[in-house]
Amino acid sequence: AQSVAQPEDQVNVAEGNPLTVKCTYSVSGNPYLFWYVQYPNRGLQFLLKYITGDNLVKGSYGFEAEFNKSQTSFHLKKPSALVSDSALYFCAVRRANTDKLIFGTGTRLQVFP
Amino acid sequence: DGGITQSPKYLFRKEGQNVTLSCEQNLNHDAMYWYRQDPGQGLRLIYYSQIVNDFQKGDIAEGYSVSREKKESFPLTVTSAQKNPTAFYLCASSMAGALSGANVLTFGAGSRLTVL
């Protein structure tokens, strides 16, 4: 069965420091992987996706993610965190050629000034 | 501006009442989705539709119903059979087709339903 895990409920980081939000997945076949961000009482916004090709994917707002097939991971990273990055981050996976997107439980990122 | 409009933003319901949440998109997307969000559980798929007049159950369809009479609209009815309807409901849309798995979802701002 498809699944995605975000092992940390919350990540705290000081402004200016690098941040990592972890995601691991389980899916048969080639996965399509996504990161979305949600600000309070709002819908989700797309950050980046991995479909094929280069394992390092760059996305919006300076975020990037690295696809690691051997570790079945797709961790979200940013070299220097901003207070405005504080939000709820969701990892999602879809098996190639299927309709449904499976979301993780979300990780709350708190960036302190 | 193209996007997805959900209404109402907040809704209160008495037990035993059906309520309908509206979702309208002007993105010309073929596929539309309804998700439910609960704290600590992420997003769970309720129903989705790839084309007008067709829709499929997601993982938690019991107690919900949908219709897709127009490409732009995908209303969700929360029926009295839904035992725990208090949640944040998110509508989304995407392009469909052979590479639909790679397509990005565009989300509405959500509707928060509270059962009194």
Side-chain angles (χ1 to χ4, degrees):
Chain A
Q2 290 183 186
S3 66
V4 58
Q6 294 182 244
E8 302 155 316
D9 291 335
Q10 181 154 330
V11 170
N12 298 317
V13 64
E15 188 174 32
N17 283 1
L19 70 88
T20 299
V21 182
K22 296 180 180 178
C23 173
T24 59
Y25 66 91
S26 174
V27 65
S28 57
N30 294 322
Y32 293 160
L33 295 155
F34 302 79
W35 276 101
Y36 286 83
V37 60
Q38 184 181 34
Y39 298 98
N41 293 313
R42 300 299 302 275
L44 278 67
Q45 298 176 28
F46 169 73
L47 278 179
L48 50 80
K49 67 180 179 182
Y50 172 82
I51 304 302
T52 187
D54 193 348
N55 289 343
L56 184 64
V57 178
K58 294 187 183 296
S60 307
Y61 312 121
F63 284 93
E64 58 188 29
E66 186 167 13
F67 171 63
N68 188 317
K69 188 172 184 177
S70 63
Q71 296 185 4
T72 62
S73 67
F74 189 57
H75 301 332
L76 182 70
K77 300 182 180 184
K78 187 174 183 181
S80 179
L82 300 172
V83 173
S84 57
D85 292 330
S86 299
L88 188 58
Y89 290 81
F90 288 96
C91 182
V93 64
R94 179 187 268 146
R95 194 177 66 195
N97 299 321
T98 63
D99 296 333
K100 293 189 285 185
L101 194 62
I102 306 299
F103 285 86
T105 53
T107 297
R108 186 164 301 282
L109 174 66
Q110 192 73 44
V111 181
F112 295 95
Chain B
D1 285 339
I4 297 181
T5 301
Q6 290 188 240
S7 62
K9 191 172 179 65
Y10 298 96
L11 184 62
F12 297 89
R13 185 195 96 173
K14 294 181 180 179
E15 284 193 26
Q17 288 182 334
N18 293 354
V19 293
T20 297
L21 307 180
S22 171
C23 178
E24 302 278 335
Q25 55 101 356
N26 61 4
L27 300 166
N28 200 31
H29 284 170
D30 293 303
M32 296 188 74
Y33 309 80
W34 274 105
Y35 286 90
R36 170 178 171 144
Q37 184 177 15
D38 297 280
Q41 296 195 50
L43 275 69
R44 293 180 290 170
L45 183 64
I46 305 172
Y47 269 98
Y48 65 105
S49 167
Q50 297 285 71
I51 195 170
V52 175
N53 292 323
D54 188 39
F55 48 83
Q56 288 78 40
K57 293 182 179 180
D59 300 315
I60 56 165
E62 185 175 352
Y64 299 98
S65 66
V66 293
S67 63
R68 187 85 187 276
E69 297 178 1
K70 298 186 301 182
K71 185 176 183 177
E72 302 80 18
S73 179
F74 192 42
L76 173 74
T77 297
V78 184
T79 75
S80 57
Q82 170 49 235
K83 299 304 180 188
N84 185 22
T86 295
F88 190 52
Y89 291 88
L90 287 162
C91 180
S93 70
S94 72
M95 295 176 66
L99 295 178
S100 61
N103 288 328
V104 170
L105 294 184
T106 299
F107 283 84
S111 293
R112 188 168 297 281
L113 173 63
T114 303
V115 174
L116 304 174

